[in-house]
Amino acid sequence: VTLPHIQSIVESGSLSWIENVVNGTKEKERLLLDTEQYILNIDTKWRSHPDPNTTPRSEWHSHSSVKDLYCLAIFKETSVTSLRDLRGKDHLPVLVAIMKECPLAIQDIYGVPPDQLRIFVHYQPQFYAFHIHFTRLENEIGCQVERGHLVSDI
């Protein structure tokens, strides 16, 4: 029941917006890190973030909005649509890289230490392109137990 539903969403073309984010044709100003396997972006839910078009990145570090930090790492491999598509030998290296590199990028850009981050995925997700959420520990938005799964538990 679930797999055909996910496949119908993916095949419908309704995810073209996320493909445009991943390939850099949309939201370039929100891009924090770009690797061969994933990107790290400012999530649009982080509404208090300084305008990336007008505020220099140097001013993002320790900005008052950092209390609301919300970033997303998005897999570039389109066959991974959700938690259920992950396969150890194929995807563990990417997950390990994300868990290592993204917290360091966030610390460098925003001044938030890695031990102050909650890193999780949703199942079922809001959209079917595998993505990982990064928030501050004190920010509980999006990490409800019925949908949120810590990446360290995967």
Side-chain angles (χ1 to χ4, degrees), residues 33 40 97-114 117 134:
L33 184 62
L40 178 65
I98 288 171
M99 291 291 287
K100 179 181 177 186
E101 297 164 4
C102 291
L104 294 177
I106 290 169
Q107 181 174 26
D108 184 51
I109 296 166
Y110 297 109
V112 177
L117 296 174
F134 293 80

Side-chain angles (χ1 to χ4, degrees), residues 65-85:
S65 70
V66 168
K67 69 183 180 338
D68 301 322
L69 184 134
Y70 208 128
C71 298
L72 284 183
I74 306 169
F75 266 42
K76 289 184 175 180
E77 183 182 335
T78 59
S79 66
V80 183
T81 62
S82 71
L83 178 62
R84 70 185 288 152
D85 294 325

Side-chain angles (χ1 to χ4, degrees), residues 3 6 17 19 44 51 55 73 81 94 104 123 128 134 143 153:
L3 185 57
I6 294 169
W17 67 273
E19 293 168 12
T44 55
D51 184 340
T55 307
T81 62
V94 184
L104 294 177
Y123 188 79
Y128 287 97
F134 293 80
C143 65
D153 290 342

Side-chain angles (χ1 to χ4, degrees), residues 114-151:
D115 66 353
Q116 294 299 306
L117 296 174
R118 179 179 288 115
I119 306 169
F120 60 97
V121 300
H122 287 145
Y123 188 79
Q124 294 203 10
Q126 184 177 5
F127 59 89
Y128 287 97
F130 186 71
H131 57 285
I132 298 173
H133 302 257
F134 293 80
T135 64
R136 298 285 302 264
L137 286 175
E138 59 267 20
N139 180 350
E140 295 187 8
I141 293 174
C143 65
Q144 299 86 1
V145 293
E146 65 274 3
R147 285 188 57 212
H149 303 275
L150 296 174
V151 174

